[in-house]
Coordinates of all heavy atoms in Angstrom, one line a residue:
A1430 N 115.8 72.2 101.5 CA 116.3 71.2 102.4 C 115.1 70.3 102.8 O 114.0 70.7 102.9 CB 116.9 71.9 103.7
Y1431 N 115.5 69.0 103.1 CA 114.5 68.0 103.5 C 113.6 68.4 104.6 O 112.4 68.3 104.6 CB 115.2 66.7 103.8 CG 114.3 65.6 104.3 CD1 113.5 64.9 103.3 CD2 114.1 65.3 105.6 CE1 112.6 63.9 103.8 CE2 113.2 64.3 106.0 CZ 112.5 63.6 105.1 OH 111.6 62.7 105.5
D1432 N 114.2 69.0 105.7 CA 113.4 69.4 106.9 C 112.4 70.5 106.5 O 111.3 70.5 107.1 CB 114.4 69.8 108.0 CG 115.1 68.6 108.6 OD1 114.6 67.5 108.5 OD2 116.1 68.9 109.3
D1433 N 112.8 71.4 105.6 CA 111.9 72.4 105.2 C 110.7 71.8 104.4 O 109.6 72.3 104.6 CB 112.6 73.4 104.3 CG 113.7 74.2 105.0 OD1 113.6 74.3 106.3 OD2 114.6 74.7 104.4
V1434 N 110.9 70.8 103.6 CA 109.9 70.2 102.9 C 108.9 69.5 103.8 O 107.7 69.6 103.7 CB 110.4 69.2 101.8 CG1 109.3 68.4 101.2 CG2 111.2 69.9 100.8
V1435 N 109.5 68.8 104.8 CA 108.7 68.1 105.8 C 107.8 69.1 106.6 O 106.6 68.8 106.8 CB 109.5 67.2 106.8 CG1 108.7 66.7 107.9 CG2 110.2 66.1 106.0
T1436 N 108.4 70.1 107.0 CA 107.7 71.2 107.8 C 106.5 71.7 106.9 O 105.4 71.8 107.4 CB 108.6 72.3 108.2 OG1 109.6 71.8 109.1 CG2 107.9 73.4 108.9
R1437 N 106.8 72.1 105.7 CA 105.7 72.6 104.8 C 104.6 71.6 104.6 O 103.4 71.9 104.6 CB 106.3 73.1 103.5 CG 105.3 73.8 102.6 CD 104.7 75.0 103.2 NE 103.8 75.6 102.3 CZ 102.6 76.1 102.7 NH1 102.3 76.1 104.0 NH2 101.8 76.6 101.8
F1438 N 105.0 70.3 104.3 CA 104.0 69.3 104.1 C 103.1 69.2 105.3 O 101.9 69.1 105.2 CB 104.7 67.9 103.8 CG 103.7 66.8 103.8 CD1 103.0 66.5 102.6 CD2 103.4 66.0 104.9 CE1 102.1 65.5 102.6 CE2 102.5 65.0 104.9 CZ 101.8 64.7 103.7
N1439 N 103.7 69.1 106.5 CA 102.9 69.0 107.7 C 102.0 70.2 108.0 O 100.9 70.0 108.5 CB 103.8 68.8 108.9 CG 104.4 67.4 109.0 OD1 103.7 66.4 108.5 ND2 105.5 67.2 109.6
E1440 N 102.4 71.4 107.6 CA 101.5 72.5 107.7 C 100.3 72.4 106.8 O 99.2 72.7 107.2 CB 102.3 73.8 107.2 CG 103.3 74.3 108.2 CD 104.2 75.4 107.6 OE1 104.0 75.8 106.4 OE2 105.1 75.9 108.3
I1441 N 100.5 71.8 105.6 CA 99.4 71.6 104.7 C 98.5 70.4 105.2 O 97.3 70.4 105.2 CB 99.9 71.4 103.3 CG1 100.5 72.7 102.8 CG2 98.7 70.9 102.3 CD1 101.3 72.5 101.5
F1442 N 99.2 69.3 105.5 CA 98.5 68.0 105.8 C 97.8 68.1 107.1 O 96.6 67.7 107.3 CB 99.5 66.8 105.8 CG 98.9 65.5 106.0 CD1 97.9 65.0 105.1 CD2 99.2 64.7 107.1 CE1 97.3 63.8 105.3 CE2 98.6 63.5 107.3 CZ 97.7 63.0 106.4
L1443 N 98.5 68.5 108.2 CA 97.9 68.6 109.5 C 97.2 69.8 109.7 O 96.2 69.9 110.5 CB 99.0 68.4 110.6 CG 99.8 67.1 110.5 CD1 101.0 67.1 111.5 CD2 98.9 65.9 110.7
G1444 N 97.6 70.9 109.1 CA 96.9 72.2 109.2 C 97.0 72.7 110.7 O 97.8 72.3 111.5
S1445 N 96.2 73.7 110.9 CA 96.0 74.3 112.2 C 94.5 74.4 112.5 O 93.8 74.7 111.6 CB 96.7 75.6 112.3 OG 96.2 76.6 111.4
D1446 N 94.1 74.2 113.7 CA 92.7 74.3 114.0 C 91.8 73.4 113.3 O 90.7 73.7 112.9 CB 92.2 75.8 113.9 CG 93.0 76.7 114.8 OD1 93.3 76.3 115.9 OD2 93.3 77.8 114.4
G1447 N 92.4 72.2 112.9 CA 91.5 71.2 112.3 C 91.2 71.4 110.8 O 90.2 70.9 110.3
D1448 N 92.1 72.2 110.1 CA 91.7 72.5 108.7 C 92.7 71.9 107.7 O 92.7 72.3 106.6 CB 91.7 74.0 108.6 CG 93.1 74.7 108.9 OD1 94.0 74.0 109.4 OD2 93.2 75.9 108.6
G1449 N 93.5 70.9 108.1 CA 94.5 70.3 107.2 C 93.8 69.3 106.3 O 92.7 68.8 106.5
L1450 N 94.6 68.8 105.3 CA 94.1 67.8 104.4 C 93.8 66.5 105.1 O 93.0 65.7 104.6 CB 95.1 67.6 103.3 CG 95.3 68.8 102.3 CD1 96.4 68.4 101.3 CD2 94.1 69.1 101.6
I1451 N 94.4 66.3 106.3 CA 94.1 65.0 107.0 C 92.6 64.9 107.3 O 92.0 63.8 107.4 CB 94.9 64.9 108.3 CG1 94.9 63.5 108.8 CG2 94.5 65.9 109.3 CD1 95.9 63.2 109.9
T1452 N 91.9 66.0 107.4 CA 90.4 66.0 107.7 C 89.6 65.5 106.5 O 88.5 65.2 106.6 CB 89.9 67.4 108.1 OG1 90.1 68.3 107.1 CG2 90.7 67.8 109.4
R1453 N 90.3 65.5 105.3 CA 89.6 65.0 104.1 C 89.8 63.5 103.8 O 89.2 63.0 102.8 CB 90.1 65.8 102.9 CG 89.7 67.3 102.9 CD 90.2 68.0 101.7 NE 90.0 69.4 101.8 CZ 90.4 70.2 100.9 NH1 90.9 69.8 99.8 NH2 90.2 71.5 101.1
E1454 N 90.6 62.9 104.7 CA 90.8 61.5 104.5 C 89.4 60.7 104.6 O 88.5 61.1 105.3 CB 91.7 60.9 105.6 CG 93.1 61.3 105.4 CD 94.0 60.6 106.5 OE1 93.6 60.6 107.6 OE2 95.0 60.1 106.1
R1455 N 89.4 59.6 103.8 CA 88.2 58.8 103.8 C 88.6 57.4 104.3 O 89.7 56.9 104.0 CB 87.6 58.7 102.4 CG 87.1 60.1 102.0 CD 86.7 60.1 100.6 NE 85.5 59.2 100.4 CZ 85.0 58.8 99.2 NH1 85.6 59.2 98.2 NH2 84.0 58.0 99.2
W1456 N 87.8 56.8 105.1 CA 88.0 55.5 105.6 C 87.5 54.5 104.7 O 86.3 54.5 104.3 CB 87.3 55.4 107.0 CG 87.6 54.2 107.8 CD1 86.7 53.2 108.1 CD2 88.8 53.9 108.5 NE1 87.2 52.3 109.0 CE2 88.5 52.7 109.2 CE3 90.0 54.5 108.6 CZ2 89.5 52.1 110.0 CZ3 91.0 53.9 109.4 CH2 90.7 52.7 110.1
F1457 N 88.3 53.6 104.2 CA 87.8 52.6 103.1 C 87.1 51.4 103.7 O 86.3 50.8 102.9 CB 88.9 52.3 102.1 CG 90.0 51.5 102.7 CD1 89.9 50.1 102.6 CD2 91.1 52.1 103.2 CE1 91.0 49.3 103.1 CE2 92.2 51.3 103.7 CZ 92.1 49.9 103.7
P1458 N 87.4 50.9 104.9 CA 86.7 49.7 105.3 C 85.2 49.9 105.4 O 84.8 50.9 106.0 CB 87.3 49.3 106.6 CG 88.6 50.0 106.7 CD 88.5 51.2 105.9
T1459 N 84.4 49.0 104.9 CA 83.0 49.1 105.1 C 82.6 48.8 106.5 O 83.3 48.2 107.2 CB 82.2 48.2 104.1 OG1 82.7 46.8 104.4 CG2 82.5 48.5 102.7
D1460 N 81.4 49.3 106.9 CA 80.9 49.1 108.2 C 80.9 47.6 108.6 O 80.4 46.8 107.8 CB 79.5 49.6 108.4 CG 79.4 51.1 108.4 OD1 80.5 51.7 108.6 OD2 78.3 51.7 108.2
G1461 N 81.5 47.2 109.7 CA 81.5 45.9 110.1 C 82.7 45.0 109.6 O 82.9 43.9 110.1
L1462 N 83.4 45.5 108.6 CA 84.5 44.7 108.0 C 85.5 44.4 109.1 O 85.9 43.2 109.2 CB 85.1 45.4 106.8 CG 86.3 44.7 106.2 CD1 85.9 43.3 105.7 CD2 86.9 45.6 105.2
L1463 N 86.0 45.4 109.8 CA 87.1 45.1 110.7 C 86.6 44.2 111.9 O 87.4 43.3 112.3 CB 87.6 46.4 111.3 CG 88.3 47.4 110.3 CD1 88.7 48.6 111.0 CD2 89.5 46.7 109.7
A1464 N 85.4 44.4 112.3 CA 84.8 43.5 113.3 C 84.8 42.0 112.9 O 85.2 41.1 113.6 CB 83.5 43.9 113.8
R1465 N 84.4 41.8 111.6 CA 84.3 40.5 111.1 C 85.7 39.9 110.9 O 86.0 38.7 111.3 CB 83.6 40.4 109.7 CG 82.1 40.7 109.8 CD 81.4 40.4 108.5 NE 81.9 41.1 107.4 CZ 81.6 42.3 107.0 NH1 80.7 43.0 107.7 NH2 82.1 42.9 105.9
L1466 N 86.7 40.7 110.5 CA 88.0 40.2 110.3 C 88.7 39.9 111.7 O 89.4 38.9 111.8 CB 88.9 41.2 109.6 CG 88.6 41.4 108.1 CD1 89.4 42.5 107.5 CD2 89.0 40.1 107.3
S1467 N 88.3 40.7 112.7 CA 88.9 40.5 114.0 C 88.4 39.2 114.7 O 89.0 38.8 115.7 CB 88.7 41.7 114.9 OG 87.4 41.8 115.2
E1468 N 87.3 38.7 114.2 CA 86.8 37.4 114.7 C 87.8 36.3 114.4 O 87.8 35.3 115.1 CB 85.4 37.1 114.2 CG 84.4 38.0 114.8 CD 83.0 37.8 114.1 OE1 82.9 37.0 113.2 OE2 82.1 38.6 114.5
R1469 N 88.5 36.4 113.3 CA 89.4 35.4 112.8 C 90.9 35.7 112.9 O 91.8 34.9 112.9 CB 89.1 35.1 111.3 CG 87.8 34.5 111.1 CD 87.5 34.2 109.7 NE 88.5 33.2 109.2 CZ 88.8 33.1 107.9 NH1 88.1 33.8 107.0 NH2 89.7 32.2 107.5
F1470 N 91.2 37.0 113.0 CA 92.6 37.5 112.9 C 92.9 38.5 114.0 O 92.0 39.3 114.4 CB 92.9 38.1 111.6 CG 92.6 37.2 110.4 CD1 91.5 37.4 109.6 CD2 93.5 36.2 110.1 CE1 91.2 36.6 108.6 CE2 93.2 35.3 109.0 CZ 92.0 35.6 108.2
Q1471 N 94.1 38.6 114.5 CA 94.6 39.7 115.3 C 94.8 40.8 114.3 O 95.5 40.7 113.3 CB 95.9 39.3 116.0 CG 96.4 40.4 116.9 CD 97.6 40.1 117.7 OE1 98.0 38.9 117.8 NE2 98.3 41.0 118.2
M1472 N 94.3 42.0 114.7 CA 94.4 43.1 113.8 C 95.5 44.1 114.2 O 95.4 44.6 115.4 CB 93.1 43.9 113.7 CG 91.9 43.0 113.2 SD 92.1 42.4 111.6 CE 91.7 43.9 110.7
G1473 N 96.5 44.3 113.4 CA 97.5 45.3 113.7 C 97.6 46.3 112.6 O 97.0 46.2 111.6
I1474 N 98.4 47.3 112.9 CA 98.7 48.4 111.9 C 100.2 48.6 111.8 O 100.8 48.7 112.8 CB 98.0 49.7 112.3 CG1 96.5 49.5 112.2 CG2 98.5 50.8 111.4 CD1 95.7 50.8 112.5
F1475 N 100.7 48.6 110.6 CA 102.1 48.9 110.3 C 102.0 50.0 109.3 O 101.5 49.9 108.2 CB 102.8 47.7 109.8 CG 102.9 46.5 110.7 CD1 101.9 45.6 110.8 CD2 104.0 46.4 111.6 CE1 101.9 44.6 111.7 CE2 104.0 45.4 112.5 CZ 103.0 44.4 112.5
T1476 N 102.5 51.2 109.7 CA 102.4 52.4 108.9 C 103.7 53.2 108.8 O 104.5 53.2 109.8 CB 101.2 53.2 109.3 OG1 101.1 54.4 108.5 CG2 101.4 53.7 110.8
G1477 N 103.8 53.9 107.7 CA 104.9 54.8 107.6 C 104.6 56.2 108.2 O 105.4 57.1 108.2
R1478 N 103.4 56.3 108.8 CA 103.1 57.6 109.5 C 103.7 57.6 110.8 O 104.0 56.6 111.5 CB 101.5 57.7 109.6 CG 100.8 57.9 108.4 CD 99.4 58.2 108.7 NE 98.7 58.6 107.5 CZ 97.5 59.1 107.4 NH1 96.8 59.2 108.5 NH2 96.9 59.5 106.3
L1479 N 103.8 58.8 111.3 CA 104.2 59.0 112.7 C 103.0 58.7 113.6 O 101.9 58.7 113.2 CB 104.6 60.5 113.0 CG 105.8 61.0 112.2 CD1 106.0 62.5 112.4 CD2 107.0 60.2 112.5
R1480 N 103.3 58.3 114.8 CA 102.3 57.9 115.8 C 101.2 58.9 115.9 O 100.0 58.6 115.9 CB 102.9 57.6 117.1 CG 102.0 57.4 118.3 CD 101.3 56.0 118.3 NE 102.3 55.0 118.2 CZ 102.0 53.7 118.4 NH1 100.8 53.3 118.7 NH2 102.9 52.8 118.3
M1481 N 101.6 60.2 116.0 CA 100.6 61.3 116.2 C 99.7 61.3 115.0 O 98.5 61.5 115.2 CB 101.4 62.6 116.4 CG 100.5 63.8 116.5 SD 100.2 64.7 115.0 CE 101.8 64.9 114.2
E1482 N 100.2 61.2 113.8 CA 99.3 61.2 112.6 C 98.4 60.0 112.6 O 97.2 60.1 112.3 CB 100.2 61.2 111.4 CG 101.0 62.4 111.2 CD 102.1 62.3 110.1 OE1 102.2 61.2 109.5 OE2 102.8 63.3 109.9
A1483 N 98.9 58.8 112.9 CA 98.1 57.6 112.9 C 97.0 57.8 114.0 O 95.8 57.4 113.7 CB 98.9 56.4 113.2
D1484 N 97.3 58.3 115.1 CA 96.3 58.5 116.2 C 95.2 59.4 115.8 O 94.0 59.1 116.1 CB 97.0 59.0 117.5 CG 97.8 58.0 118.2 OD1 97.7 56.8 117.9 OD2 98.7 58.4 119.0
I1485 N 95.5 60.4 115.0 CA 94.4 61.3 114.6 C 93.4 60.6 113.7 O 92.2 60.6 114.0 CB 95.0 62.5 113.7 CG1 95.8 63.4 114.6 CG2 93.9 63.2 113.0 CD1 96.7 64.5 113.8
T1486 N 93.9 59.8 112.8 CA 93.0 59.0 111.9 C 92.3 57.9 112.7 O 91.0 57.7 112.5 CB 93.8 58.4 110.8 OG1 94.3 59.5 110.0 CG2 92.9 57.6 109.9
L1487 N 93.0 57.2 113.6 CA 92.3 56.1 114.3 C 91.3 56.6 115.3 O 90.2 56.0 115.4 CB 93.3 55.3 115.0 CG 94.2 54.4 114.1 CD1 95.3 53.7 114.9 CD2 93.4 53.5 113.3
R1488 N 91.5 57.8 115.9 CA 90.5 58.4 116.8 C 89.3 58.8 116.0 O 88.2 58.7 116.5 CB 91.1 59.6 117.5 CG 91.9 59.2 118.8 CD 92.2 60.5 119.6 NE 92.7 61.6 118.9 CZ 94.0 61.9 118.7 NH1 94.9 61.1 119.2 NH2 94.4 62.9 118.0
R1489 N 89.5 59.2 114.8 CA 88.4 59.7 114.0 C 87.5 58.5 113.5 O 86.3 58.6 113.4 CB 88.9 60.5 112.8 CG 87.9 61.1 112.0 CD 88.5 62.1 111.0 NE 87.6 62.5 110.0 CZ 87.9 62.7 108.7 NH1 89.1 62.7 108.4 NH2 87.0 63.1 107.9
F1490 N 88.2 57.4 113.0 CA 87.4 56.4 112.3 C 87.3 55.1 113.1 O 86.4 54.3 112.7 CB 88.2 56.1 110.9 CG 88.1 57.2 110.0 CD1 89.2 57.9 109.6 CD2 86.9 57.5 109.3 CE1 89.2 59.0 108.7 CE2 86.8 58.6 108.4 CZ 88.0 59.3 108.1
A1491 N 88.2 54.8 114.0 CA 88.1 53.5 114.7 C 88.5 53.7 116.2 O 89.4 53.1 116.6 CB 89.0 52.5 114.0
P1492 N 87.8 54.6 116.9 CA 88.2 55.0 118.2 C 88.3 53.8 119.2 O 89.1 53.9 120.2 CB 87.2 56.0 118.6 CG 86.0 55.8 117.8 CD 86.5 55.2 116.5
S1493 N 87.4 52.8 119.1 CA 87.4 51.8 120.1 C 87.9 50.4 119.5 O 87.8 49.4 120.2 CB 86.0 51.6 120.6 OG 85.1 51.2 119.5
F1494 N 88.5 50.4 118.3 CA 88.9 49.2 117.7 C 90.2 48.7 118.3 O 91.2 49.5 118.4 CB 89.0 49.2 116.2 CG 89.0 47.9 115.6 CD1 87.9 47.2 115.3 CD2 90.3 47.3 115.2 CE1 87.9 45.9 114.8 CE2 90.3 46.1 114.7 CZ 89.2 45.4 114.5
P1495 N 90.4 47.5 118.7 CA 91.6 47.0 119.4 C 92.7 46.6 118.5 O 93.1 45.4 118.4 CB 91.1 45.8 120.2 CG 90.0 45.3 119.4 CD 89.3 46.5 118.7
F1496 N 93.3 47.5 117.7 CA 94.5 47.2 116.9 C 95.6 46.9 117.9 O 95.9 47.7 118.8 CB 94.9 48.3 116.0 CG 93.9 48.6 114.9 CD1 93.1 49.7 114.9 CD2 93.8 47.7 113.8 CE1 92.2 50.0 113.9 CE2 92.9 48.0 112.8 CZ 92.1 49.1 112.8
D1497 N 96.3 45.8 117.6 CA 97.5 45.5 118.4 C 98.4 44.5 117.7 O 97.9 43.3 117.4 CB 97.0 44.8 119.8 CG 98.2 44.6 120.7 OD1 99.2 45.3 120.6 OD2 98.1 43.6 121.4
P1498 N 99.5 44.9 117.3 CA 100.2 46.1 117.6 C 99.9 47.2 116.6 O 99.3 47.0 115.6 CB 101.7 45.7 117.5 CG 101.7 44.7 116.3 CD 100.4 43.9 116.5
I1499 N 100.3 48.4 117.0 CA 100.3 49.6 116.1 C 101.8 50.0 116.0 O 102.4 50.4 117.0 CB 99.4 50.7 116.6 CG1 98.0 50.3 116.7 CG2 99.6 51.9 115.7 CD1 97.0 51.3 117.3
V1500 N 102.4 49.8 114.9 CA 103.8 50.2 114.7 C 103.9 51.3 113.7 O 103.4 51.2 112.6 CB 104.6 48.9 114.1 CG1 106.0 49.3 113.9 CG2 104.4 47.8 115.1
C1501 N 104.5 52.4 114.1 CA 104.5 53.6 113.3 C 106.0 54.0 113.0 O 106.9 53.3 113.5 CB 103.9 54.8 114.1 SG 102.1 54.5 114.4
A1502 N 106.2 54.9 112.1 CA 107.5 55.3 111.7 C 108.4 55.7 112.8 O 109.6 55.5 112.7 CB 107.4 56.4 110.6
D1503 N 107.9 56.3 113.8 CA 108.7 56.8 114.9 C 108.9 55.7 116.0 O 109.4 56.1 117.1 CB 108.2 58.1 115.5 CG 106.7 58.2 115.8 OD1 106.0 57.2 115.4 OD2 106.3 59.1 116.4
D1504 N 108.4 54.5 115.8 CA 108.6 53.5 116.8 C 110.0 52.8 116.7 O 110.6 52.7 115.7 CB 107.5 52.4 116.7 CG 106.2 52.9 117.2 OD1 106.2 53.7 118.1 OD2 105.2 52.4 116.6

């Protein structure tokens, strides 16, 4: 069933105690790229991820960057 697949995926991707595959993600923007772009553009995020998943990654890689808006799958 779909819900069973989603549950199993989240167990693997999010893990428990910080051991999921999400911890292996790599941030592709080079240092300073987002800051340079934000001088000319309003920076937003539109993602198919749930807000909780997006927050994990943004807290890890861009904790103080002012993305606005952030639109997630559960919005």
Side-chain angles (χ1 to χ4, degrees):
Y1431 176 80
D1432 288 339
D1433 294 336
V1434 172
V1435 170
T1436 298
R1437 183 64 180 136
F1438 174 83
N1439 285 333
E1440 289 171 357
I1441 295 167
F1442 185 64
L1443 300 174
S1445 61
D1446 300 322
D1448 62 351
L1450 292 178
I1451 196 169
T1452 64
R1453 295 183 187 178
E1454 286 185 316
R1455 295 174 63 193
W1456 189 247
F1457 69 89
T1459 57
D1460 288 342
L1462 175 63
L1463 295 177
R1465 288 191 306 275
L1466 288 172
S1467 69
E1468 291 173 1
R1469 295 182 57 203
F1470 305 103
Q1471 179 178 345
M1472 303 294 288
I1474 293 180
F1475 297 87
T1476 180
R1478 286 186 174 193
L1479 298 175
R1480 170 76 53 169
M1481 178 266 310
E1482 296 168 356
D1484 286 345
I1485 291 169
T1486 299
L1487 292 174
R1488 278 194 310 267
R1489 184 170 168 213
F1490 293 109
S1493 61
F1494 196 82
F1496 291 107
D1497 183 34
I1499 299 175
V1500 180
C1501 298
D1503 47 349
D1504 288 328

